[in-house]
Every structure is written in C-alpha cells, then in structure tokens.
Amino acid sequence: GRDYELYCGWKYEKNDWEVSYIGMEKKLNDMGRDLIALKNMTHHIIQCKYWSKKKTIHEKHITQLFGTSVEYELQQPKGVKVVPVFITSTKLSETAKVFAERLGVVVKENIPLLDFPRIKCNVNQGFSKIYHLPFDQQYDRTKINKKDEIYAYTVKEASNAGFRRAFKYFG
C-alpha cells in the first residue's frame, strides 16, 4: 500500500501538484486521506487502494472518501475547490460506481503499480544536497518541491547528480 501511495503521489508531482503524504505521516489517523494534492485553488483528496485483481471496491470506501472530503472542505477558505479522487489497482462494484458518480468522486480504476524513482534527493536548509532512501528516518517527511530537487531510481544516479546520503538515516 505504501509504495502505491508513493507512486500515485509521484504521478501527481510530475504534473506540478504539491503533494502531502497524509497516509504515511498519520498512519491509521489519516481519516481516509492517503494524499492531499494542491494545485492553484484545487485540492484533491486522494484515497489509494492497491488490492488484488480478485477483490472489488465497495461503496463504503467511496462514502468514507466523500465524507472526509466534505470535512476537509469545511476547513478551507472560500474559493477552494475540493475534489475527492479514488485510485485503485482493481475495480469498483456497480453500486460503488453509482455512489461515486452521484457523490462526485473521481474514480481511476485498474491503475497498476509501475516502476518509479523512489530515492528523494533534496536540498536541506543548509543547502546540502542529500538523498533519502525509502526506509530512511526522514524519508516520509522529505518533500521534493524545489527546481533543483529530484527523484532518482538508483543511488548511483543520486550521487552522480551531486547528492550524498543523509547522515541520519536510521529510524
């Protein structure tokens, strides 16, 4: 599930969205919000489900996402457009599809988990170029959002771009 959230967030980031990884930061207290993606005055509240193709998403998951999106929207200033988005590796039941359409939940079904760069290369406050591996201490808190920050597929790629391993990498 964590890799799927990272993958979906990375896809959003590639399209110039600012992404918060709520599911990884808050674990079971995420209120059904795996990701929150911001672009201009539009906020996507995203639920990611990486399930077996044999499983089906039911309406309770759609209603949970809708409810948490409404709660989030009530906390936003006027003019912010909040869009619930459900991304899954499998399919929805027919009833869940009807619920999603009626509630305005954007659904993306049968989205596979493909290979993507997992190493976060960022510039810290002291202007040091540092890379973080997915199991490193600060990985989940590290955001890649400056123009000179990148994602890398390999340590060699990160090193060749001038980044070094974070000193605090043990959890």
Side-chain angles (χ1 to χ4, degrees), residues 5 19-20 25 75 87 102 135 151:
E5 290 176 26
V19 179
S20 295
E25 292 172 19
Q75 298 176 25
I87 305 173
R102 176 71 172 91
F135 44 82
Y151 284 94

Side-chain angles (χ1 to χ4, degrees), residues 2-143:
R2 182 175 187 264
D3 277 354
Y4 197 61
E5 290 176 26
L6 286 169
Y7 174 71
C8 293
W10 172 74
K11 296 282 280 185
Y12 264 87
E13 288 179 24
K14 276 181 48 174
N15 289 305
D16 298 321
W17 290 78
E18 180 185 328
V19 179
S20 295
Y21 294 81
I22 305 301
M24 290 186 298
E25 292 172 19
K26 296 190 176 185
K27 312 286 186 228
L28 294 175
N29 296 320
D30 68 359
M31 295 181 62
R33 303 170 190 161
D34 292 327
L35 308 171
I36 297 179
L38 313 174
K39 190 180 212 180
N40 302 322
M41 293 294 284
T42 302
H43 297 195
H44 283 190
I45 308 303
I46 306 159
Q47 177 64 245
C48 307
K49 292 284 186 208
Y50 187 67
W51 285 3
S52 161
K53 289 283 183 196
K54 297 175 187 176
K55 288 187 146 190
T56 303
I57 303 293
H58 293 282
E59 55 278 1
K60 70 179 182 178
H61 301 288
I62 300 300
T63 57
Q64 179 193 31
L65 175 59
F66 176 76
T68 197
S69 296
V70 168
E71 193 275 338
Y72 176 89
E73 185 174 34
L74 292 172
Q75 298 176 25
Q76 303 310 306
K78 288 190 188 268
V80 170
K81 180 180 180 185
V82 176
V83 180
V85 179
F86 197 96
I87 305 173
T88 181
S89 58
T90 188
K91 62 185 185 310
L92 275 67
S93 70
E94 290 305 314
T95 303
K97 288 178 185 179
V98 169
F99 270 56
E101 184 177 334
R102 176 71 172 91
L103 297 174
V105 175
V106 175
V107 174
K108 299 177 183 186
E109 295 177 283
N110 298 307
I111 305 297
L113 173 59
L114 302 176
D115 191 28
F116 68 100
R118 290 175 171 85
I119 300 171
K120 294 180 177 181
C121 302
N122 83 307
V123 180
N124 71 10
Q125 292 175 344
F127 303 104
S128 295
K129 295 175 83 173
I130 300 170
Y131 69 80
H132 303 268
L133 301 176
F135 44 82
D136 285 353
Q137 185 180 33
Q138 298 300 317
Y139 185 86
D140 289 346
R141 290 191 198 122
T142 301
K143 293 185 185 269

